[in-house]
Amino acid sequence: MIRVTVQREPIDVAAALAAVEADGAGAIASFTGLVRADDGVSILELEHYPGMTEAALTALAEGAAARWDLLDVTIVHRVGPMRPGERVVFVATAARHRGAALEACASLIDRLKTEAPFWKREVTTEGSRWVEARGGDEDAAARWR
Amino acid sequence: MIRVTVQREPIDVAAALAAVEADGAGAIASFTGLVRADDGVSILELEHYPGMTEAALTALAEGAAARWDLLDVTIVHRVGPMRPGERVVFVATAARHRGAALEACASLIDRLKTEAPFWKREVTTEGSRWVEARGGDEDAAARWR
Amino acid sequence: MAIEMLYFAWVREGVGRGSERVDPPADVATVADLLDWLAADSPAHAQAFGDRAKLRAAVDQAFVPLDAGIAGAREVAIFPPVTGG
Amino acid sequence: MAIEMLYFAWVREGVGRGSERVDPPADVATVADLLDWLAADSPAHAQAFGDRAKLRAAVDQAFVPLDAGIAGAREVAIFPPVTGG
């Protein structure tokens, strides 16, 4: 099953994982991205492109499900303001065997970083700034295409 | 922080992940292995080598933490009898960036399969049998050495 | 035909709005032409669109290069490289 | 010196016990020698140790090949290839 959610509310990882586990797979891989506590950032704000974001994430999920024969793909991405330690993104993949689940999960978070329309702004004590895209992210995503 | 647990009780993934998240990392990868519901297995029983198992898992965790500069490694492995859908093993890794967390998590579950003394027995309606080691597991583990 | 322009992140801040409906003349054939045309009359647009290497675009919610055509487009979005996840 | 033998999985079932304390003579120098010595007097051991390719060993809780020496060993474990995770 493919589950894609873009939400302002905090991400409930336990509930998301429980839903994936209920589908009877043998292997579940997950990735959680959090606002790091050690960067002097007091607020991280995520902007997105409503409509296109959900479509882009769904396309990534469907592509991974077909390529790795997955039982489940879950992508939950938070938008709006969030604090250090809070979850920004959660990806989970379920398959019969571990290799498929692990690879698909890594691929999804790599591609999500360059192929879904989100933009991050960091607020620090010195002000706020838009986060610049990293060249390494493009390289990471290109591995899977 | 390194957390290694071998237990007969069900694995509480939410609690394990919450402990990892509390350490302030930006990226957490996890893997959960479950008793598959589709193999005709009514009970999976895990035997282990008390003492050596914990030492072997701790050595794997310490090796990964050093190689990938991880903030956290959590390995929880269940032993004793368990039913389809129940969790057999849970591995989580935390790092500043996703690449390290994802690679380390994949490496740990691959190496755990060949380098920690556990033995699986499957009980079906036809009787019970010890699970044979898969050659593919040895190949997967060898990638990381 | 009218096009719904959408702006995100610092492009939105620079232009001073998140969306606007525009009706470019027929010789505006590509996304880049559209940026030139919008910049011609508005210092805010001109400034926001100043460094084309830092701009990305989507036409009808699909990523495209700036030299992509806009014939028949209903929605064109302009934004910096994405930084989600 | 006495050695604590440990058996796991079908090796344990074949031998009929999970552990035993043994005191091999001095010419029993390797794990393989130990298996031969144990098999010589016991059909159960002989059967459990019959296919050496399917046996793995640990000496004092470290995996070793069957031709590893056992000088000074306190604990020797014999078991099938591991299947955890």
Side-chain angles (χ1 to χ4, degrees):
Chain A
M1 188 182 295
I2 287 174
R3 302 173 179 93
V4 167
T5 312
V6 178
Q7 62 184 39
R8 294 183 68 84
E9 298 70 36
I11 298 172
D12 184 341
V13 162
L17 272 178
V20 174
E21 289 191 7
D23 288 336
I28 297 172
S30 85
F31 177 83
T32 308
L34 303 107
V35 184
R36 276 205 302 274
D38 61 353
D39 280 356
V41 173
S42 57
I43 295 285
L44 183 73
E45 186 149 13
L46 259 289
E47 181 171 333
H48 78 301
Y49 183 164
M52 181 173 167
T53 306
E54 291 83 349
L57 295 179
T58 301
L60 286 176
E62 289 173 346
R67 176 169 170 183
W68 281 283
D69 195 18
L70 304 176
L71 280 77
D72 286 89
V73 180
T74 295
I75 304 175
V76 188
H77 205 298
R78 193 170 172 194
V79 293
M82 53 205 89
R83 291 187 304 273
E86 291 196 293
R87 301 172 190 125
V88 181
V89 62
F90 174 77
V91 173
T93 52
R96 283 181 57 83
H97 298 292
R98 71 185 184 285
L102 289 161
E103 266 193 38
C105 182
S107 126
L108 281 166
I109 188 65
D110 278 346
R111 296 190 60 171
L112 181 158
K113 293 231 168 211
T114 63
E115 297 176 40
F118 291 101
W119 300 273
K120 279 189 183 124
R121 187 167 59 161
E122 293 177 346
V123 181
T124 68
T125 49
E126 271 101 58
S128 79
R129 65 175 192 91
W130 291 98
V131 174
E132 286 198 38
R134 300 169 57 228
D137 285 339
E138 186 48 50
D139 297 340
R143 285 192 298 149
W144 304 103
R145 288 187 203 119
Chain B
M1 189 181 295
I2 286 174
R3 301 173 179 93
V4 168
T5 312
V6 178
Q7 62 184 40
R8 294 184 68 86
E9 298 72 36
I11 299 173
D12 184 342
V13 162
L17 272 178
V20 175
E21 290 190 6
D23 289 336
I28 297 170
S30 84
F31 177 82
T32 308
L34 303 108
V35 184
R36 278 205 302 274
D38 61 354
D39 279 357
V41 173
S42 57
I43 296 285
L44 183 73
E45 186 148 13
L46 260 289
E47 181 170 334
H48 79 301
Y49 184 164
M52 180 173 167
T53 306
E54 292 81 351
L57 296 179
T58 301
L60 286 176
E62 289 173 346
R67 176 169 171 183
W68 282 283
D69 195 19
L70 304 176
L71 280 78
D72 286 89
V73 179
T74 295
I75 302 176
V76 189
H77 206 298
R78 194 171 171 193
V79 293
M82 51 204 92
R83 292 187 303 274
E86 291 196 292
R87 301 170 189 125
V88 182
V89 61
F90 175 76
V91 173
T93 52
R96 283 181 57 81
H97 299 292
R98 71 186 184 285
L102 289 161
E103 265 193 39
C105 182
S107 124
L108 281 166
I109 187 66
D110 279 346
R111 295 191 60 172
L112 182 157
K113 292 229 168 211
T114 63
E115 297 176 41
F118 292 101
W119 300 273
K120 279 188 183 125
R121 188 167 58 160
E122 293 177 345
V123 182
T124 68
T125 48
E126 271 102 59
S128 79
R129 65 175 194 93
W130 291 98
V131 174
E132 287 198 37
R134 299 169 56 231
D137 284 340
E138 187 47 52
D139 297 340
R143 286 192 299 149
W144 304 103
R145 285 188 208 120
Chain C
M1 203 177 73
I3 293 175
E4 182 79 8
M5 297 297 303
L6 297 176
Y7 307 114
F8 294 100
W10 53 255
V11 178
R12 171 178 54 71
E13 292 178 333
V15 170
R17 71 200 75 178
S19 68
E20 61 186 331
R21 182 167 290 269
V22 302
D23 203 345
D27 63 337
V28 171
T30 67
V31 174
D33 292 345
L34 191 55
L35 297 179
D36 290 338
W37 177 72
L38 288 162
D41 281 339
S42 157
H45 287 74
Q47 176 121 25
F49 301 159
D51 186 350
R52 297 291 164 92
K54 291 193 172 175
L55 295 181
R56 298 292 181 273
V59 169
D60 290 332
Q61 305 199 350
F63 291 111
V64 295
L66 297 190
D67 61 3
I70 56 167
R74 286 169 302 175
E75 188 172 296
V76 175
I78 309 297
F79 43 77
V82 303
T83 56
Chain D
M1 203 178 75
I3 293 176
E4 181 80 9
M5 297 297 304
L6 298 176
Y7 307 112
F8 294 101
W10 55 254
V11 178
R12 172 179 53 72
E13 292 178 333
V15 170
R17 71 200 76 176
S19 67
E20 59 186 333
R21 181 168 292 268
V22 303
D23 202 347
D27 64 335
V28 171
T30 66
V31 175
D33 291 345
L34 191 54
L35 297 179
D36 291 338
W37 177 72
L38 288 161
D41 281 337
S42 157
H45 288 73
Q47 175 122 26
F49 301 158
D51 185 352
R52 298 289 164 93
K54 292 192 171 174
L55 295 181
R56 299 292 181 273
V59 170
D60 290 333
Q61 305 199 351
F63 291 112
V64 296
L66 296 190
D67 62 2
I70 56 167
R74 285 169 302 175
E75 187 173 295
V76 175
I78 308 297
F79 42 77
V82 303
T83 56

